[in-house]
Amino acid sequence: MTVSSVPPADPDLSRRPWRRSIAADGSSTLGVGVIGYGYWGPNLVRNFAETTDTRVVAVSDLRSERLEQVNARFPAVTTSTDHRDLLRHPEVDVIVVATPVGSHFELARQALKAGKHVLVEKPLASTVEECERLVELAQRNNLTLMVDHTFVYTGAVQRIKQLVDGGQLGRLYYWDSVRVNLGLFQPDVSVLADLAVHDLAIMDYVIDARPVAVAATGVAHVPGRLVNTAYVTCFFEGDLLAHFHVNWLAPVKVRRTLIGGDQRMIVYDDIEPSEKIKVYDSGITLDVGDRGRYEMMVGYRAGDVWAPRLSLTEALSVEVQHFVDCVRERRQPLTDGYAGLRTVSILEAAARSLAERGRPVELAWGDMDADSSTRSQSSVPESQASA
């Protein structure tokens, strides 16, 4: 899809210019090579194929039966069981990595070394060190590096970002998230890297502040498998607290986030088909008694509840178009390498805390937060926030 075909309710994903120039031919169609055609790869191939600014040139997967599916649906696309064929292909400008997490770093590294712009499925890599190396390599070679934090590109999260940045919630008190379901057990990553990464990426985008410490507990109920149930708490300066519950053994599928402030509160339910966001004009009031702070009286305020209209355009299509625009127009993505690095930093600290039965692990951001001071304060203009 092109930019002109996006409904008015879609988010404006424009960002500041790159610190360095990216060599890109803005007049030509970008050739795309996709490595991995398993669970998420078909969705990526479909969206890049439907984007008029790109052409899917080649797809690689280790399983020939998956490549047969590609040939059946996209007969003009070249297929190979060797990803290096894509790296060498002269018509491939962009490499999309949609493989198991353990291979993300090496595949992305090879693609950047080959001079290709790279989009990597979440999480960006397995460790902070690997993420740092990818960010440095992309910057050194003036290439676009973006991580597939798909939920950031939903109309719901874009709207939440606008409400928080606009001060509609007031001073933030808490962030409480639940993402549970029955399965799908991943063989190579824990429930943290599989499920919690989504909510951590959303929080990283919505809240400009960074957690100063992380504590996590969890358990692996299946012998020989990684942790399948976990609880993560992020501590911030001041009194903001964020808590995440992820679980592969829940009898129901829940995707719910509560964000509370001293003025309003948000309930974000991704399972809800239409009213995914509800804003509650509710909270508490504090009245000082005759004896001052020792007789502080807590009252309750229950106001209106409203559900803003949101764009329902597929988030992945918005994300793919945004990635293409960033490559062609030399702009920095919303979910760039730094965003991927910050999310993996929290995951790595959570894993350390979990191994020590919940001991808080402090975080030091340094250069990881290098672009936060110039982050757009409102990614969705008011005129585009509702349909």
Side-chain angles (χ1 to χ4, degrees):
M1 71 192 305
T2 61
V3 174
S4 60
S5 67
V6 176
D10 273 22
D12 177 6
L13 299 176
S14 61
R15 286 294 300 268
R16 63 185 177 85
W18 279 84
R19 289 185 292 274
R20 301 180 183 180
S21 174
I22 292 181
D25 183 359
S27 63
S28 62
T29 298
L30 291 174
V32 178
V34 178
I35 303 176
Y37 200 75
Y39 172 73
W40 198 237
N43 295 319
L44 289 161
V45 171
R46 172 177 57 82
N47 276 277
F48 275 105
E50 293 173 353
T51 300
T52 57
D53 296 328
T54 63
R55 179 172 68 92
V56 179
V57 176
V59 175
S60 173
D61 196 281
L62 295 176
R63 298 185 181 183
S64 57
E65 61 269 23
R66 291 177 177 173
L67 297 180
E68 292 174 0
Q69 298 174 18
V70 178
N71 294 328
R73 185 169 183 182
F74 306 99
V77 174
T78 301
T79 58
S80 174
T81 56
D82 189 343
H83 74 276
R84 291 171 295 184
D85 292 338
L86 278 62
L87 302 182
R88 291 188 291 258
H89 202 301
E91 296 181 17
V92 171
D93 307 294
V94 167
I95 290 291
V96 180
V97 178
T99 59
V101 178
S103 61
H104 285 186
F105 167 72
E106 185 57 29
L107 292 174
R109 186 192 69 82
Q110 292 181 23
L112 291 169
K113 293 278 287 185
K116 314 294 186 181
H117 306 285
V118 177
L119 171 63
V120 185
E121 188 182 0
K122 60 82 182 172
L124 179 58
S126 299
T127 68
V128 168
E129 180 183 4
E130 290 178 348
C131 292
E132 290 174 336
R133 291 177 61 184
L134 292 179
V135 168
E136 191 278 332
L137 185 59
Q139 289 187 333
R140 178 163 22 104
N141 291 282
N142 295 325
L143 294 167
T144 306
L145 174 63
M146 178 167 151
V147 61
D148 178 21
H149 289 164
T150 311
F151 282 95
V152 167
Y153 299 91
T154 62
V157 172
Q158 289 287 319
R159 182 58 162 161
I160 291 171
K161 171 69 171 174
Q162 184 191 40
L163 291 169
V164 171
D165 283 351
Q168 294 297 309
L169 274 64
R171 182 164 61 92
L172 293 184
Y173 283 160
Y174 65 85
W175 182 294
D176 193 283
S177 176
V178 178
R179 186 175 295 268
V180 303
N181 56 259
L182 188 60
L184 171 71
F185 275 75
Q186 301 293 335
D188 59 337
V189 296
S190 73
V191 72
L192 290 172
D194 181 48
L195 294 184
V197 62
H198 291 301
D199 298 297
L200 292 173
I202 294 171
M203 182 186 71
D204 175 78
Y205 174 64
V206 171
I207 302 178
D208 288 334
R210 307 286 168 242
V212 297
V214 176
T217 56
V219 65
H221 293 100
V222 180
R225 293 297 186 101
L226 298 170
V227 169
N228 55 257
T229 301
Y231 302 86
V232 179
T233 302
C234 292
F235 303 90
F236 292 80
E237 294 286 357
D239 54 7
L240 172 60
L241 191 69
H243 186 261
F244 305 88
H245 171 205
V246 288
N247 190 344
W248 281 331
L249 289 179
V252 294
K253 184 176 182 178
V254 180
R255 302 285 188 267
R256 184 177 295 118
T257 299
L258 282 69
I259 309 171
D262 64 353
Q263 298 297 318
R264 295 177 182 85
M265 303 178 187
I266 289 176
V267 175
Y268 166 36
D269 190 344
D270 191 57
I271 303 299
E272 172 65 39
S274 56
E275 297 180 347
K276 292 183 180 295
I277 293 178
K278 292 183 179 178
V279 183
Y280 291 76
D281 189 9
S282 305
I284 62 173
T285 59
L286 301 178
D287 296 321
V288 180
D290 295 336
R291 298 178 60 185
R293 59 181 297 183
Y294 298 104
E295 288 189 356
M296 187 75 71
M297 304 299 293
V298 178
Y300 299 92
R301 173 175 52 83
D304 294 334
V305 179
W306 60 286
R309 296 182 64 185
L310 308 171
S311 166
L312 298 180
T313 302
E314 182 184 4
L316 189 55
S317 69
V318 178
E319 176 187 344
V320 165
Q321 185 65 63
H322 175 57
F323 175 66
V324 172
D325 291 343
C326 288
V327 172
R328 291 166 60 92
E329 301 171 13
R330 304 174 183 179
R331 290 193 276 116
Q332 191 160 343
L334 289 176
T335 55
D336 59 7
Y338 279 112
L341 172 58
R342 290 191 298 267
T343 303
V344 172
S345 298
I346 297 176
L347 288 173
E348 191 171 273
R352 288 171 53 195
S353 174
L354 191 150
E356 300 180 28
R357 303 187 69 177
R359 182 185 68 83
V361 174
E362 294 186 0
L363 292 168
W365 295 105
D367 292 339
M368 297 183 200
D369 206 25
D371 66 339
S372 64
S373 61
T374 55
R375 173 176 290 194
S376 172
Q377 294 302 305
S378 180
S379 296
V380 186
E382 182 65 33
S383 61
Q384 295 182 346
S386 59

